[in-house]
Amino acid sequence: MNARHLAIVAKKELSGLSSEKTIVFAILLQVFIAMFSSFLMVGLTAMYDPEAIEGYSTVTYGVGYAGEASPLIDEFAKRDDLVLHRMDLDVALAALRERKVAAVVYVPDTPPDAEEPVTVTLYLIQNDLQSSVINVKVKEVLQGYEKELREVRADRMTSFPVGLNFPESGGGENFFEFVYGLLIPLLVFLPAIVSAALIIDLITEEYQHQTLETLISTPVTFAEMVWGKIAACEVLVPVQAGVWLLLLGVNGIAIDNAAAILLHASAGGLFLILLGALVALYYRERTSAQFIFSTALVVVFLLVMAVPYNPLNLMVRLAVGTAGPIHWLILALVAGATALLGWAATAYARRIGEATPPAR
């Protein structure tokens, strides 16, 4: 292949990327993810660890208290973020419906040393994010009240729980898990997926615009045309991924092995781009090619994710500096598979080029 011809085609495609909706929307999506990463961290963390969202709340909430006086009032007094308001139950529920208070607690007239359990009822607004925060805060108050009740009724206990000593938490686990476990792999691999989808558009548009015969009539062969488009898409992968890693570093997020991360992203991106190119060359119609590629991508993703050192896991290990030298072996395997796929794409492109008559 003529390197000059490849560079001409790649330069032409790169200069016209601003008009490609696929790449423009994809970049905007990545910017959206990066800009709203803190919001996403709160939302995603709340799904698997509801107690974590309490740390993001700095608001003081009002709580309606109805029923008999109890030591629970003293537990509420220990909190600076909860303000207790004594009122009747019907008045408190009306205030809750009008959002004048964030929750209502009803305590029955059961003495702490009574034989029957003390049933405390908590009223919250259904399907409300604020209710999730209040639920966690009130839960801590109720746990303190439960401890007092256990001390009052200690003479009735026949068995005692085993005490467990856990190390003190630094409070940054959720941020660490989100940034290194989700945000970095997402921002690194999304450019590869976008470039793979972009190569389908670049190839199929030659068939849809009926410009293929014109291209073949030039000194540029069909295989060179395909590889020029592949090169243009491949350049985008390390550039975009590198920019995101740089921005994360500017924001104080330490990332180890940035060069190795970009190498793995580039190799994996080229593999996906070649896969997309083969699908586009076979189907030659954008909608069908994109659908088949998306289906194949899901299958490849599921197979790869079954491997212990899958790409997402590897990116996380590299970013935190715990990957070890095994990542070079993985890079060699991916490069070998990519080279095999590149040979297949070249052979198929040459066959198509020989079968397509040039324009006259």
Side-chain angles (χ1 to χ4, degrees):
M1 290 189 186
N2 191 315
R4 181 172 174 271
H5 293 169
L6 295 181
I8 292 173
V9 176
K11 182 179 179 180
K12 168 186 170 294
E13 298 299 341
L14 288 173
S15 62
L17 283 180
S18 59
S19 61
E20 289 290 339
K21 295 181 180 179
T22 301
I23 188 66
V24 173
F25 287 150
I27 293 176
L28 291 177
L29 176 61
Q30 295 173 67
V31 172
F32 175 84
I33 293 173
M35 289 177 61
F36 291 90
S37 58
S38 297
F39 175 79
L40 292 173
M41 180 174 68
V42 176
L44 293 173
T45 300
M47 289 193 298
Y48 68 87
D49 186 11
E51 295 186 3
I53 61 177
E54 180 195 7
Y56 301 105
S57 174
T58 59
V59 180
T60 300
Y61 298 96
V63 178
Y65 184 96
E68 298 296 321
S70 70
L72 183 58
I73 297 176
D74 298 329
E75 293 295 327
F76 273 104
K78 298 176 182 178
R79 303 285 300 224
D80 296 330
D81 51 355
L82 297 175
V83 178
L84 205 62
H85 302 280
R86 297 289 300 273
M87 55 184 69
D88 295 333
L89 181 59
D90 54 347
V91 177
L93 293 178
L96 178 63
R97 285 191 293 269
E98 297 174 3
R99 293 183 178 269
K100 294 180 179 179
V101 294
V104 173
V105 176
Y106 175 74
V107 181
D109 57 356
T110 306
D113 57 350
E115 292 292 332
E116 64 272 17
V118 178
T119 304
V120 178
T121 306
L122 175 64
Y123 297 91
L124 297 168
I125 297 176
Q126 189 176 9
N127 300 326
D128 185 75
L129 179 60
Q130 178 179 273
S131 297
S132 301
V133 178
I134 292 296
N135 184 44
V136 175
K137 293 179 178 292
V138 175
K139 177 184 175 182
E140 296 176 353
V141 175
L142 294 176
Q143 286 175 338
Y145 182 45
E146 179 187 19
K147 184 178 180 181
E148 289 191 20
L149 292 178
R150 288 182 181 275
E151 293 176 354
V152 172
R153 305 182 181 192
D155 57 335
R156 305 185 218 165
M157 296 182 64
T158 58
S159 60
F160 297 88
V162 177
L164 299 176
N165 296 320
F166 293 99
E168 290 295 329
S169 173
E173 299 87 352
N174 295 310
F175 177 80
F176 181 89
E177 292 172 0
F178 176 79
V179 171
Y180 291 93
L182 179 63
L183 187 60
I184 291 177
L186 183 63
L187 293 177
V188 167
F189 278 109
L190 194 55
I193 298 174
V194 170
S195 295
L198 179 62
I199 189 65
I200 295 176
D201 291 350
L202 297 180
I203 292 177
T204 54
E205 72 178 4
E206 301 293 349
Y207 289 97
Q208 293 177 352
H209 296 165
Q210 298 180 352
T211 56
L212 183 60
E213 291 81 3
T214 304
L215 282 174
I216 294 180
S217 64
T218 67
V220 178
T221 66
F222 184 76
E224 290 172 344
M225 183 270 293
V226 172
W227 270 101
K229 295 177 181 291
I230 291 173
C233 294
E234 172 64 11
V235 168
L236 297 176
V237 178
V239 170
Q240 288 190 70
V243 169
W244 289 124
L245 293 181
L246 179 62
L247 291 176
L248 290 173
V250 170
N251 283 275
I253 299 173
I255 300 175
D256 289 341
N257 305 304
I261 291 176
L262 294 180
L263 282 175
H264 281 274
S266 300
L270 183 56
F271 180 88
L272 294 179
I273 292 170
L274 289 170
L275 183 62
L278 281 172
V279 172
L281 290 173
Y282 183 81
Y283 287 95
R284 306 179 185 182
E285 195 273 322
R286 182 181 182 278
T287 303
S288 301
Q290 290 285 11
F291 174 76
I292 296 300
F293 173 75
S294 300
T295 305
L297 185 63
V298 171
V299 174
V300 171
F301 182 78
L302 292 176
L303 292 176
V304 171
M305 289 300 293
V307 180
Y309 275 85
N310 59 72
L312 296 182
N313 188 9
L314 186 61
M315 289 298 106
V316 175
R317 289 174 176 268
L318 285 171
V320 299
T322 61
I326 192 174
H327 78 89
W328 295 113
L329 174 61
I330 297 173
L331 180 61
L333 293 175
V334 174
T338 302
L340 182 62
L341 201 60
W343 172 83
T346 303
Y348 192 43
R350 284 175 176 170
R351 196 175 81 179
I352 293 176
E354 292 171 358
T356 304
R360 295 182 180 179

